[in-house]
Amino acid sequence: MNKKWWEKSIVYQIYPKSFYDSDNDGIGDLKGIISKLDYLKDLGIDVIWLSPVYKSPMADNGYDVSDYYDIEKQFGSMEDMNALIEEGKKRNIKIIMDLVINHTSDEHAWFIESKASKDSPKRDYYIWRDPKEDGSQPNNWESIFGGSAWKYDEVSNQYYLHVFAEKQPDLNWENPKVRKDLYQMINYWLDKGIGGFRVDAITYIKKGNDFKDLKPNGKEKLVHVNGACLNQEGIEEFLAELKENTFAKYDILTVAEAPGVPKEKLSRYAGKDGFFDLLFEFEHVDLDINADGKWYKPRKWTILDFKSAIKKSQEVYNEIGFGALYLENHDQPRSLNKFIKEEDISLVSAKMLAVTYFFLKGIPFIYQGQEIGMTNVKYESIEDYDDIASIGQYKDALSEGYSKEEALAALHRRSRDNARTPMQWDNSENAGFTKGKPWLKVNPNYKDINVEANLKNENSLLNFYKNLIRLRKFSKYTDVIVYGKYIKFLEEHGDVFGYIREYNGKQILILSNFTDKNIQLKLDYNVREVIISNYENIDLNNKNIELKAYEAVVLELV
């Protein structure tokens, strides 16, 4: 087996705008990240995934790129970016950047030129269509952020496609010149010495359906764009070409945001022969979202649903290598609020969640603040929200007759701003994030939940994460944790998530109680020792074990 440098790595995602503000303008920046590298090194981080820092008008906080070859001023300069890469190398931390190539900003030079005239050489860099005979949009596609996926241009009397926000026009991947320019840009960054890419929204690059209307599910006028733009037939040709012209030339880590990939095709997308090294899957984190994507119409789910989603992926990764293990990121609410009842959120339940995902087969990703137990925020007004998707969902809810209170409750539960509140470093004003006015309000619980408090407490969540990382990287269990096969266990149990990892005859058993009740279990295994738990005393008697409320335990089996 040819082992990769990243196989024992821990990845930490930084949302630059909210991580640390070095110049006190209220916005996090690259120099702020550099100043916290020793914190990340001490935690045990090997790779930083950096959300976009390219030049951008920030309509979607950097996921609307206006210049791939420049750094957005609020984050710093190219010199700062170079310094971050070099300072990371000194600490054996690699930087992987966010690669946004499904769309650009409408302020990108390519789009400005494309929009200038139907005869522009760059016209075909984007997707333009004539209106219907009545002057309306070319079809009934609804964008991911709500509203029509088409924006009218009065100069040319045509519409351009935007799967996401209207300031994010989709690139036309059918044009070989577009692909060539993108590959050149990708290689520029790889030549600079970054460690790879997290690839944004890549399964949207192929458009299907010949741009016809999608069939409504009910009486709605617009139909979600996924039916025509997500993981369409022919996308694999684009992805193979992308890899051949860029990633395959370098010793890097690539992880793709790839919704819509069926389980039977995962081996084509990830692993040794896949288009990418790792994939982010969504089934386990989107259990609460209906097919129409409306946050204010939540779907009920159970621990059995969660276990099933994880199992399906893990059994594929047994065959192809590794998955990207995560419970939260910049597009998700905080995992404590999603997976734990609000009244049960505690140090114990936070540690249980950490154990549950950290021992699965794959590469663990930690999102900033997850390691200290940051939670969702409950802003009292829509005016406090910044996220374009949240504002769109709020407006949609009101238009469908929901009250302001109901619409806000949906944002309290699901807004992407829940993950974007400033990092909580200490209990000083603004959580030590900035001495200026933060771009987004700090979560009021920062006085209790912060890095400084975690560092002072030997029993803290932060120190628990450090122990998990040490077990994965530097213990006698490293090989079974990193390379072991996933084996299902207690598959039908409605309250306990259990699984076994096995490698070269060594087995470890992971058990997590997702309830506030004590649960008695009878094991068909002999236990050699307790590897780690979120309780000090384990009730283990021969082959009987009692899991206390929200207890997680990892056992070495004989």
mmCIF file of all heavy atoms in Angstrom, residues 368-390:
data_model
loop_
_atom_site.group_PDB
_atom_site.id
_atom_site.type_symbol
_atom_site.label_atom_id
_atom_site.label_comp_id
_atom_site.label_asym_id
_atom_site.label_seq_id
_atom_site.Cartn_x
_atom_site.Cartn_y
_atom_site.Cartn_z
ATOM 1 N N GLN A 368 -13.480 25.450 13.355
ATOM 2 C CA GLN A 368 -13.054 26.389 14.395
ATOM 3 C C GLN A 368 -14.131 26.588 15.463
ATOM 4 O O GLN A 368 -15.293 26.845 15.162
ATOM 5 C CB GLN A 368 -12.666 27.734 13.775
ATOM 6 C CG GLN A 368 -13.801 28.497 13.108
ATOM 7 C CD GLN A 368 -13.330 29.802 12.483
ATOM 8 O OE1 GLN A 368 -12.330 29.877 11.800
ATOM 9 N NE2 GLN A 368 -14.081 30.875 12.736
ATOM 10 N N GLY A 369 -13.731 26.432 16.713
ATOM 11 C CA GLY A 369 -14.652 26.577 17.832
ATOM 12 C C GLY A 369 -15.311 25.283 18.255
ATOM 13 O O GLY A 369 -15.817 25.184 19.381
ATOM 14 N N GLN A 370 -15.332 24.291 17.375
ATOM 15 C CA GLN A 370 -15.899 22.991 17.731
ATOM 16 C C GLN A 370 -15.142 22.383 18.908
ATOM 17 O O GLN A 370 -15.739 21.763 19.794
ATOM 18 C CB GLN A 370 -15.826 22.056 16.517
ATOM 19 C CG GLN A 370 -16.354 20.661 16.747
ATOM 20 C CD GLN A 370 -16.212 19.785 15.502
ATOM 21 O OE1 GLN A 370 -16.047 20.272 14.391
ATOM 22 N NE2 GLN A 370 -16.266 18.472 15.686
ATOM 23 N N GLU A 371 -13.817 22.615 18.934
ATOM 24 C CA GLU A 371 -12.968 21.999 19.954
ATOM 25 C C GLU A 371 -13.155 22.619 21.335
ATOM 26 O O GLU A 371 -12.650 22.079 22.334
ATOM 27 C CB GLU A 371 -11.493 22.078 19.528
ATOM 28 C CG GLU A 371 -10.842 23.436 19.690
ATOM 29 C CD GLU A 371 -11.082 24.402 18.536
ATOM 30 O OE1 GLU A 371 -12.030 24.184 17.736
ATOM 31 O OE2 GLU A 371 -10.320 25.384 18.416
ATOM 32 N N ILE A 372 -13.873 23.743 21.410
ATOM 33 C CA ILE A 372 -14.151 24.343 22.719
ATOM 34 C C ILE A 372 -15.642 24.312 23.059
ATOM 35 O O ILE A 372 -16.063 24.814 24.096
ATOM 36 C CB ILE A 372 -13.616 25.792 22.818
ATOM 37 C CG1 ILE A 372 -14.257 26.695 21.767
ATOM 38 C CG2 ILE A 372 -12.085 25.800 22.710
ATOM 39 C CD1 ILE A 372 -13.973 28.183 21.965
ATOM 40 N N GLY A 373 -16.450 23.744 22.155
ATOM 41 C CA GLY A 373 -17.882 23.591 22.439
ATOM 42 C C GLY A 373 -18.733 24.785 22.075
ATOM 43 O O GLY A 373 -19.763 25.027 22.721
ATOM 44 N N MET A 374 -18.346 25.537 21.029
ATOM 45 C CA MET A 374 -19.181 26.660 20.608
ATOM 46 C C MET A 374 -20.537 26.160 20.117
ATOM 47 O O MET A 374 -20.660 25.070 19.566
ATOM 48 C CB MET A 374 -18.462 27.487 19.535
ATOM 49 C CG MET A 374 -17.352 28.354 20.108
ATOM 50 S SD MET A 374 -16.454 29.359 18.888
ATOM 51 C CE MET A 374 -17.757 30.456 18.286
ATOM 52 N N THR A 375 -21.564 26.996 20.335
ATOM 53 C CA THR A 375 -22.937 26.606 20.042
ATOM 54 C C THR A 375 -23.606 27.624 19.120
ATOM 55 O O THR A 375 -23.051 28.685 18.822
ATOM 56 C CB THR A 375 -23.765 26.500 21.339
ATOM 57 O OG1 THR A 375 -23.820 27.796 21.960
ATOM 58 C CG2 THR A 375 -23.168 25.488 22.297
ATOM 59 N N ASN A 376 -24.830 27.291 18.695
ATOM 60 C CA ASN A 376 -25.623 28.209 17.882
ATOM 61 C C ASN A 376 -25.890 29.510 18.633
ATOM 62 O O ASN A 376 -25.886 29.548 19.867
ATOM 63 C CB ASN A 376 -26.970 27.583 17.519
ATOM 64 C CG ASN A 376 -26.847 26.523 16.442
ATOM 65 O OD1 ASN A 376 -25.765 26.246 15.928
ATOM 66 N ND2 ASN A 376 -27.971 25.907 16.097
ATOM 67 N N VAL A 377 -26.165 30.550 17.864
ATOM 68 C CA VAL A 377 -26.510 31.850 18.444
ATOM 69 C C VAL A 377 -27.976 32.150 18.139
ATOM 70 O O VAL A 377 -28.498 31.738 17.096
ATOM 71 C CB VAL A 377 -25.597 32.954 17.862
ATOM 72 C CG1 VAL A 377 -25.864 33.191 16.384
ATOM 73 C CG2 VAL A 377 -25.738 34.253 18.652
ATOM 74 N N LYS A 378 -28.638 32.843 19.029
ATOM 75 C CA LYS A 378 -30.043 33.200 18.812
ATOM 76 C C LYS A 378 -30.162 34.715 18.679
ATOM 77 O O LYS A 378 -30.461 35.417 19.648
ATOM 78 C CB LYS A 378 -30.918 32.689 19.960
ATOM 79 C CG LYS A 378 -31.048 31.175 20.006
ATOM 80 C CD LYS A 378 -32.036 30.735 21.079
ATOM 81 C CE LYS A 378 -32.216 29.225 21.059
ATOM 82 N NZ LYS A 378 -33.178 28.762 22.085
ATOM 83 N N TYR A 379 -29.918 35.226 17.473
ATOM 84 C CA TYR A 379 -30.110 36.652 17.244
ATOM 85 C C TYR A 379 -31.600 36.971 17.297
ATOM 86 O O TYR A 379 -32.439 36.183 16.844
ATOM 87 C CB TYR A 379 -29.552 37.062 15.882
ATOM 88 C CG TYR A 379 -28.047 36.954 15.763
ATOM 89 C CD1 TYR A 379 -27.464 36.410 14.626
ATOM 90 C CD2 TYR A 379 -27.207 37.412 16.775
ATOM 91 C CE1 TYR A 379 -26.088 36.325 14.491
ATOM 92 C CE2 TYR A 379 -25.830 37.330 16.658
ATOM 93 C CZ TYR A 379 -25.272 36.784 15.507
ATOM 94 O OH TYR A 379 -23.917 36.697 15.385
ATOM 95 N N GLU A 380 -31.916 38.134 17.826
ATOM 96 C CA GLU A 380 -33.314 38.492 18.046
ATOM 97 C C GLU A 380 -33.960 39.166 16.845
ATOM 98 O O GLU A 380 -35.176 39.349 16.807
ATOM 99 C CB GLU A 380 -33.428 39.401 19.270
ATOM 100 C CG GLU A 380 -33.022 38.713 20.574
ATOM 101 C CD GLU A 380 -33.115 39.636 21.771
ATOM 102 O OE1 GLU A 380 -33.492 40.813 21.584
ATOM 103 O OE2 GLU A 380 -32.815 39.180 22.895
ATOM 104 N N SER A 381 -33.134 39.550 15.858
ATOM 105 C CA SER A 381 -33.667 40.262 14.692
ATOM 106 C C SER A 381 -32.987 39.768 13.426
ATOM 107 O O SER A 381 -31.801 39.416 13.443
ATOM 108 C CB SER A 381 -33.434 41.769 14.848
ATOM 109 O OG SER A 381 -33.670 42.451 13.629
ATOM 110 N N ILE A 382 -33.710 39.776 12.331
ATOM 111 C CA ILE A 382 -33.118 39.403 11.041
ATOM 112 C C ILE A 382 -31.996 40.372 10.669
ATOM 113 O O ILE A 382 -31.075 40.021 9.930
ATOM 114 C CB ILE A 382 -34.202 39.358 9.925
ATOM 115 C CG1 ILE A 382 -33.633 38.774 8.633
ATOM 116 C CG2 ILE A 382 -34.808 40.733 9.709
ATOM 117 C CD1 ILE A 382 -33.126 37.354 8.743
ATOM 118 N N GLU A 383 -32.047 41.585 11.227
ATOM 119 C CA GLU A 383 -31.020 42.581 10.941
ATOM 120 C C GLU A 383 -29.646 42.140 11.447
ATOM 121 O O GLU A 383 -28.617 42.622 10.977
ATOM 122 C CB GLU A 383 -31.386 43.931 11.594
ATOM 123 C CG GLU A 383 -32.730 44.490 11.166
ATOM 124 C CD GLU A 383 -32.818 44.733 9.674
ATOM 125 O OE1 GLU A 383 -31.800 45.143 9.077
ATOM 126 O OE2 GLU A 383 -33.904 44.491 9.090
ATOM 127 N N ASP A 384 -29.623 41.249 12.410
ATOM 128 C CA ASP A 384 -28.344 40.788 12.960
ATOM 129 C C ASP A 384 -27.682 39.720 12.093
ATOM 130 O O ASP A 384 -26.508 39.396 12.291
ATOM 131 C CB ASP A 384 -28.545 40.226 14.374
ATOM 132 C CG ASP A 384 -28.909 41.312 15.364
ATOM 133 O OD1 ASP A 384 -28.441 42.457 15.188
ATOM 134 O OD2 ASP A 384 -29.673 41.023 16.310
ATOM 135 N N TYR A 385 -28.445 39.154 11.156
ATOM 136 C CA TYR A 385 -27.905 38.091 10.302
ATOM 137 C C TYR A 385 -27.202 38.677 9.084
ATOM 138 O O TYR A 385 -27.615 39.689 8.524
ATOM 139 C CB TYR A 385 -29.011 37.128 9.867
ATOM 140 C CG TYR A 385 -29.435 36.208 10.990
ATOM 141 C CD1 TYR A 385 -30.459 36.580 11.869
ATOM 142 C CD2 TYR A 385 -28.809 34.994 11.199
ATOM 143 C CE1 TYR A 385 -30.839 35.759 12.916
ATOM 144 C CE2 TYR A 385 -29.183 34.155 12.245
ATOM 145 C CZ TYR A 385 -30.193 34.545 13.097
ATOM 146 O OH TYR A 385 -30.552 33.732 14.140
ATOM 147 N N ASP A 386 -26.141 37.987 8.671
ATOM 148 C CA ASP A 386 -25.371 38.406 7.501
ATOM 149 C C ASP A 386 -25.514 37.429 6.346
ATOM 150 O O ASP A 386 -25.482 37.817 5.188
ATOM 151 C CB ASP A 386 -23.887 38.519 7.879
ATOM 152 C CG ASP A 386 -22.974 38.759 6.689
ATOM 153 O OD1 ASP A 386 -22.832 39.925 6.275
ATOM 154 O OD2 ASP A 386 -22.428 37.760 6.148
ATOM 155 N N ASP A 387 -25.678 36.167 6.643
ATOM 156 C CA ASP A 387 -25.660 35.098 5.650
ATOM 157 C C ASP A 387 -26.752 35.267 4.604
ATOM 158 O O ASP A 387 -27.934 35.363 4.925
ATOM 159 C CB ASP A 387 -25.808 33.748 6.355
ATOM 160 C CG ASP A 387 -26.007 32.597 5.390
ATOM 161 O OD1 ASP A 387 -25.369 32.614 4.325
ATOM 162 O OD2 ASP A 387 -26.786 31.690 5.717
ATOM 163 N N ILE A 388 -26.346 35.259 3.351
ATOM 164 C CA ILE A 388 -27.282 35.478 2.240
ATOM 165 C C ILE A 388 -28.331 34.379 2.168
ATOM 166 O O ILE A 388 -29.494 34.633 1.858
ATOM 167 C CB ILE A 388 -26.493 35.594 0.912
ATOM 168 C CG1 ILE A 388 -27.388 36.108 -0.209
ATOM 169 C CG2 ILE A 388 -25.811 34.290 0.540
ATOM 170 C CD1 ILE A 388 -26.616 36.468 -1.470
ATOM 171 N N ALA A 389 -27.938 33.143 2.494
ATOM 172 C CA ALA A 389 -28.899 32.037 2.470
ATOM 173 C C ALA A 389 -29.922 32.182 3.592
ATOM 174 O O ALA A 389 -31.120 31.918 3.403
ATOM 175 C CB ALA A 389 -28.172 30.700 2.593
ATOM 176 N N SER A 390 -29.476 32.627 4.763
ATOM 177 C CA SER A 390 -30.390 32.797 5.900
ATOM 178 C C SER A 390 -31.430 33.873 5.608
ATOM 179 O O SER A 390 -32.620 33.707 5.896
ATOM 180 C CB SER A 390 -29.594 33.168 7.154
ATOM 181 O OG SER A 390 -28.691 32.146 7.496
#
